[in-house]
Amino acid sequence: MKEYTKLCLGGTSTISQRKAILAERKIQLQENIASLIASVEYIDKKQEFYDEVLEGKREYFSNLLQCQCVD
């Protein structure tokens, strides 16, 4: 964004360049948002899984354990 600020000082002749910078930044931000949403959805699913285990609605399993251990 330093480049964008520098271009702003260049006046109207740099508007096209500034628009391109903003468009690229918007794409980056949208990608970040999508990644964050996916992370939140994953956490929601894990929380739901744990709730069901704690309520006795589902048996616990882990992809990280060789055996499916029950406490």
Side-chain angles (χ1 to χ4, degrees):
M1 293 308 287
K2 288 181 183 181
E3 180 66 20
Y4 176 85
T5 303
K6 192 188 314 182
L7 289 169
C8 286
L9 298 173
T12 57
S13 65
T14 64
I15 288 176
S16 294
Q17 292 168 284
R18 287 184 271 159
K19 281 186 54 120
I21 289 171
L22 291 174
E24 178 60 33
R25 183 65 180 141
K26 181 179 177 180
I27 290 169
Q28 291 169 350
L29 289 170
Q30 288 171 327
E31 290 170 352
N32 289 346
I33 289 168
S35 177
L36 289 170
I37 289 171
S39 294
V40 169
E41 288 173 350
Y42 175 80
I43 289 171
D44 286 343
K45 288 179 183 174
K46 290 301 281 188
Q47 291 284 33
E48 183 180 335
F49 170 76
Y50 292 140
D51 286 342
E52 290 176 358
V53 169
L54 291 172
E55 293 168 5
K57 294 179 180 178
R58 178 185 289 225
E59 187 174 327
Y60 178 76
F61 69 91
S62 171
N63 294 331
L64 300 176
L65 301 174
Q66 299 249 333
C67 68
Q68 300 308 316
C69 304
V70 178
D71 293 335

